[in-house]
Amino acid sequence: MHVNSSIARMKESATLAVSARAAALKAEGVDVVGFGVGEPDFDTPVAIKEAAIRAIQSGRTKYEATPGTVEARKAIAAKLQGENGIPVQWQQVSITCGAKHAVAMSLQLLLEPGRGDEVILPTPAWVSYKPLIELAGGRCVEVAGGIQHGYRVTAEQVEAAMTPRTVAILLNSPSNPCGIAYPADELRAIAEVIAAHPGVAVLSDEIYEKLIYPEVTPGLAHWSPGSDPRLADRTITVNGLSKAYAMTGWRLGYVASPANGGAWMKEFIKLQGQQTNNVSSFAMPAIVEALANGAAEVERMRQSFAARAILVHRRLQSMPRLSTVPSNGAFYSFPDVSRCMGLSTPRGRRIDGAQSFAEALLDEHAVAVVPGEDFGECARRNIRISFACSEAQIEKGLSRLGEFVTSLR
Ligand code: PMP
Ligand code: GLU
């Protein structure tokens, strides 16, 4: 049977592949420490669960409007206006099957296959962006943020990457996999460059917005490009409940844009209506509950992640052959393991890239990390550690990692 060639060429998600491999080893009884998938270890706050349970028991089990209920869309629009300063009306909001599908559909809508459309992607970047850009018919233009600059790209680099074919830039602060948030003034400098290129749209993935650690970088705060008056009407803001509210399995993301006077989101909703229609009906009151009353729970989890970020950096810093940037956002650390290249494990496995490093670490020390290759060309010698797990697991996994790197010869 035929397989579409673009899909055949596409790589599978490395993050999901690592988590599947770690789960399979666990099922075989191996004591694996899972630093693979980026998923909070906390449970969804009780009040949010109860809102959904009440909804399902009262019969909220039928189709809803494709973009979600008016009440849930109004709650999201109010959040985006009030917290982020983004001028969107509730009609310009749609609730999607995870932020992932919001990104996928946004790219499909923005890009014209066969026209040579380019999307600027600051890297290292989340594994799904490049395949989704390419699937939508675009060309991914990677702009590398080096470790020397804390994995952040500069406004000058963005300017240099602009061409007449640039259709969009994809921003993700705080960043997966780098575990860093851009200082607002650096993002504003990038916004300044984009403002000078009127044909360029901004796709801003703000899924880790709530996970920022001024405990690590004093004064650090989130800033949304869609709040810049010069960019507002060409910015698509993507966010969701997965990370902030520990709701990954619920598959709840959202997207909002005032572009084309609201007409852009009408087209988005038309596409969504043909692809998935609405997300689960009984999730709608849970979204309203999360946004209205979830702040204290979010803050409690944020504080735990901040403490873990500090612990992880302290432990990694003391290890030989690794270089890191302190994590001040999301729940990732992205050490550079270049100095392990060319060495071998005591069992004779040679390390020649992040992939072989991660494989040897899993097979010989039962620690799952994601190899850097799929996060960008510049990330071939990095590994991603997701510290969305208990401090005891972090201590155990990092002790094993330390033994592993020290044992290489
Ligand atoms: N964007 C980024 C940067 C992510 O790390 C993830 C991880 N799942 C997503 C989007 C998608 O999140 P979800 O589909 O669970 O909302
Ligand atoms: N975004 C998370 C990660 O990077 C979840 C898995 C995925 O969807 O990629 O691990």
Side-chain angles (χ1 to χ4, degrees):
M1 196 155 52
H2 182 68
V3 172
N4 168 279
S5 55
S6 304
I7 296 174
R9 271 196 308 273
M10 187 175 75
K11 291 192 73 172
E12 75 171 315
S13 162
T15 50
L16 298 182
V18 167
S19 72
R21 174 130 168 71
L25 284 172
K26 265 189 196 151
E28 286 169 22
V30 181
D31 173 26
V32 179
V33 176
F35 290 151
V37 75
E39 167 166 76
D41 54 324
F42 301 107
D43 197 1
T44 302
V46 172
I48 300 175
K49 287 185 185 174
E50 283 174 350
I53 292 166
R54 277 195 305 275
I56 202 166
Q57 283 174 337
S58 67
R60 289 286 287 276
T61 56
K62 307 289 189 216
Y63 292 130
E64 303 270 5
T66 297
T69 59
V70 172
E71 199 192 9
R73 293 164 80 199
K74 280 189 172 165
I76 293 167
K79 178 251 180 278
L80 291 172
Q81 288 166 14
E83 289 183 8
N84 305 88
I86 299 173
V88 279
Q89 306 303 313
W90 67 266
Q91 295 90 339
Q92 299 157 358
V93 169
S94 188
I95 301 162
T96 56
C97 175
K100 192 178 277 195
H101 198 221
V103 171
M105 284 191 288
S106 299
L107 290 166
Q108 230 181 326
L109 205 51
L110 281 172
L111 300 176
E112 202 63 53
R115 197 174 61 175
D117 287 0
E118 293 175 356
V119 179
I120 295 176
L121 181 67
T123 54
W126 181 40
V127 293
S128 292
Y129 294 141
K130 187 176 181 192
L132 292 176
I133 290 167
E134 290 175 348
L135 199 59
R139 195 169 85 77
C140 180
V141 177
E142 296 187 22
V143 177
I147 193 167
Q148 319 77 350
H149 194 244
Y151 294 128
R152 306 184 309 273
V153 300
T154 62
E156 292 73 26
Q157 284 179 288
V158 171
E159 176 65 60
M162 292 282 183
T163 76
R165 291 174 301 282
T166 307
V167 166
I169 176 164
L170 207 166
L171 299 175
N172 172 225
S173 175
S175 152
N176 175 5
C178 305
I180 57 95
Y182 278 68
D185 60 337
E186 287 186 24
L187 266 188
R188 284 202 175 91
I190 291 172
E192 186 85 33
V193 167
I194 303 166
H197 294 268
V200 175
V202 181
L203 180 53
S204 181
D205 180 348
E206 304 183 14
I207 187 114
Y208 295 101
E209 169 197 10
K210 298 288 182 193
L211 303 180
I212 284 198
Y213 315 127
E215 292 89 338
V216 175
T217 306
L220 192 66
H222 183 71
W223 181 73
S224 297
S227 66
D228 185 321
R230 295 165 306 178
L231 299 184
D233 64 2
R234 50 185 163 112
T235 298
I236 304 148
T237 304
V238 169
N239 204 326
L241 282 78
S242 285
K243 315 289 174 172
Y245 299 91
M247 293 174 71
T248 46
W250 294 62
R251 312 305 304 123
L252 295 175
Y254 57 84
V255 58
S257 178
N260 306 357
W264 197 87
M265 279 305 301
K266 280 198 181 128
E267 294 295 320
F268 183 100
I269 293 163
K270 182 174 86 182
L271 175 64
Q272 185 176 345
Q274 293 290 24
Q275 289 197 345
T276 57
N277 201 3
N278 61 287
V279 302
S280 306
S281 311
F282 44 84
M284 303 294 168
I287 296 170
V288 175
E289 171 62 29
L291 295 183
N293 303 316
E297 290 284 335
V298 170
E299 175 58 13
R300 183 180 61 77
M301 294 188 270
R302 190 201 65 77
Q303 286 178 9
S304 296
F305 287 127
R308 294 171 187 180
I310 292 165
L311 167 66
V312 168
H313 188 64
R314 184 168 53 72
R315 293 289 308 264
L316 289 176
Q317 249 186 331
S318 69
M319 284 180 205
R321 297 174 177 152
L322 297 185
S323 313
T324 49
V325 167
S327 301
N328 60 14
F331 33 62
Y332 305 109
S333 180
F334 201 56
D336 178 313
V337 297
S338 298
R339 280 177 287 153
C340 300
M341 299 301 129
L343 302 178
S344 296
T345 72
R347 292 196 213 161
R349 286 172 82 135
R350 197 177 145 81
I351 309 296
D352 55 12
Q355 181 76 37
S356 52
F357 183 101
E359 278 168 14
L361 180 63
L362 183 57
D363 291 344
E364 300 186 19
H365 289 262
V367 177
V369 298
V370 184
E373 281 91 345
D374 291 355
F375 296 100
E377 279 303 320
C378 64
R380 297 189 156 274
R381 291 175 166 208
N382 292 75
I383 54 163
R384 191 190 75 175
I385 293 171
S386 165
F387 53 79
C389 55
S390 70
E391 294 198 4
Q393 284 287 298
I394 292 172
E395 294 279 11
K396 182 155 114 179
L398 292 185
S399 295
R400 292 182 188 176
L401 174 65
E403 283 160 27
F404 175 70
V405 289
T406 316
S407 73
L408 298 174
R409 290 288 173 267

